[in-house]
Amino acid sequence: EKGGYPHYMLKEIMEQPRVLFETYTGLVSSREVEEAAKLIAEAGSVFVTGAGTSFHAGLVFAYYMSRIAGKPVIPFISSEYAVFKNIDHTGSVLIAISQSGETIDTLQALRGFRASGGRVVAVSNVVGSTIPRESDIAVYTRAGPEIGVAATKTFLTQVLTLSMIALATALYSGSLTKSEYREATERLKDAGRAASTGINRSIRQVELLASSLRNKTNIYVLGRGLGVPLSYEAALKIKEVSYLHAEAYPAGESKHGPIALVEKDFPVVFVATPPEAELLEKIQSNVMEMKSRGASTILVGTSSYLELEGVDFAIDVGSFDEILAPYALVPPLQLLAYRLAVVLGRDPDKPRNLAKTVTVE
Ligand code: M6R
């Protein structure tokens, strides 16, 4: 039932082109997306929450909401809801993201938020699970069952779903015209194709990279803008399945402490996302800072970053804009985590100490 693959994790990474297309088709004229967008467009404050990978999808949502819909979103990790507990949430909306729909921390946050007057939109992969049942509006991803403990295909289907909600919100709030909205939504039809491109362009190189990293103990993953949540997600995936210590930071933050650890051959992965012109120069100087300490610099980026100097190993996922870049960039990072687990003899489907769904606080 692993479809000929040695592990569910690999099977699920490879399924992304298909499930992204299915999620797109299921949502493209969905009433739930429309209702969620209206609620969000009219909300006083907008919050987004989740745990682990779902939280990272929430950070991508916050990014798109401010860039495209011009509306700030407050992200928080669901186990930290207490920070907002004493606030009256009347007129506010919380987007609660949970693949399983059963994560207790996220459920508690949504209960608390509703009890203090707020409305909740759930984004989940499991129809009829507790989180969507207890929410005002439920929007479902169509990733199909995910067996591997590491969230892979569910992450990108969450990102796609949240992007559609962000675009629809931009339409209701007047930040996008009807034709701009239609054009952007239409582009998301190619999310699955972007994932195939990312996979095909990286699959060989990722194997080489994984064997060169196998004896390392620490890895940094750095990004800027949209690259920040994607870096967090890459580091989580590497940690969880390979047990190597991978840590992600916004690249600009590395100077404020983390760079102290960098010495000869310390691996630093840069996740480089559009918009290129704004970021290229800044990422270039971050690469040089690392390089001058002897770091081994790795780039996973869209094509225009190929001109960066000081990169030891580059994976070019192709040319994509801000809307499509995550679908091309994330699969190579997931494949890297998977390959590291395999070369180190770990079982990527069942990492030690972890459960697929965390139902105790
Ligand atoms: O089912 P959920 O999306 O609520 O689960 C949240 C996290 O437990 C989950 O994403 C976890 O971080 C994954 N194992 C990451 O790969």
Side-chain angles (χ1 to χ4, degrees), residues 46-335:
V46 183
F47 296 81
V48 66
T49 200
T53 292
S54 291
F55 173 67
H56 300 154
L59 293 177
V60 176
F61 176 68
Y63 178 86
Y64 284 136
M65 281 292 293
S66 52
R67 299 273 302 185
I68 302 169
K71 194 154 181 130
V73 170
I74 303 160
F76 68 92
I77 289 176
S78 58
S79 56
E80 285 298 317
Y81 174 69
V83 176
F84 301 106
K85 202 172 85 182
N86 296 335
I87 293 174
D88 178 1
H89 290 299
T90 309
S92 295
V93 173
L94 170 68
I95 321 302
I97 308 168
S98 174
Q99 184 283 125
S100 61
E102 302 295 346
T103 297
I104 189 73
D105 294 326
T106 309
L107 181 58
Q108 305 281 34
L110 106 78
R111 285 180 177 158
F113 196 86
R114 290 190 87 198
S116 59
R119 315 278 293 275
V120 177
V121 175
V123 172
S124 178
N125 193 42
V126 180
V127 176
S129 55
T130 313
I131 289 168
R133 258 196 292 120
E134 293 200 15
S135 296
D136 297 276
I137 299 174
V139 186
Y140 289 104
T141 53
R142 299 195 182 192
E146 189 175 65
I147 312 291
V149 164
T152 52
K153 59 177 179 170
T154 55
F155 175 65
L156 283 182
T157 57
Q158 288 168 340
V159 168
L160 178 63
T161 303
L162 292 160
S163 303
M164 294 180 88
I165 296 175
L167 289 172
T169 306
L171 175 68
Y172 286 115
S173 60
S175 315
L176 287 183
T177 63
K178 251 215 162 96
S179 70
E180 285 168 335
Y181 165 76
R182 239 184 268 123
E183 198 231 324
T185 307
E186 185 70 13
R187 280 228 296 296
L188 284 174
K189 195 193 269 179
D190 284 334
R193 226 168 303 170
S196 302
T197 306
I199 292 171
N200 294 335
R201 293 177 74 123
S202 66
I203 199 144
R204 283 270 139 68
Q205 274 175 298
V206 160
E207 278 183 41
L208 296 175
L209 185 58
S211 33
S212 78
L213 293 176
R214 60 180 297 172
N215 296 319
K216 305 288 182 188
T217 34
N218 294 296
I219 302 175
Y220 279 162
V221 189
L222 307 180
R224 282 178 177 266
L226 185 55
V228 173
L230 305 188
S231 298
Y232 287 146
E233 178 53 13
L236 173 60
K237 221 91 301 179
I238 293 171
K239 258 192 293 234
E240 141 172 80
V241 300
S242 77
Y243 314 153
L244 291 185
H245 180 230
E247 222 42 75
Y249 296 95
E253 192 62 11
S254 61
K255 286 197 289 290
H256 300 278
I259 201 167
L261 262 68
V262 175
E263 52 187 359
K264 196 171 167 339
D265 297 332
F266 190 110
V268 182
V269 178
F270 289 86
V271 179
T273 49
E276 286 86 356
E278 277 171 48
L279 295 187
L280 206 111
E281 219 172 294
K282 289 185 174 163
I283 294 186
Q284 178 67 80
S285 72
N286 294 130
V287 169
M288 293 326 269
E289 279 154 21
M290 292 297 172
K291 197 74 216 146
S292 65
R293 269 115 194 141
S296 119
T297 51
I298 298 143
L299 170 78
V300 180
T302 45
S303 295
S304 41
Y305 288 94
L306 276 180
E307 61 186 75
L308 286 183
E309 281 169 43
V311 172
D312 298 316
F313 189 98
I315 294 181
D316 161 21
V317 301
S319 297
F320 293 97
D321 64 4
E322 233 184 343
I323 297 267
L324 285 178
Y327 311 100
L329 285 164
V330 169
L333 297 165
Q334 296 167 335
L335 284 168

Side-chain angles (χ1 to χ4, degrees), residues 346-357:
R346 328 283 195 214
D347 179 354
D349 288 342
K350 290 198 193 69
R352 65 186 179 206
N353 309 337
L354 292 177
K356 179 72 181 160
T357 306

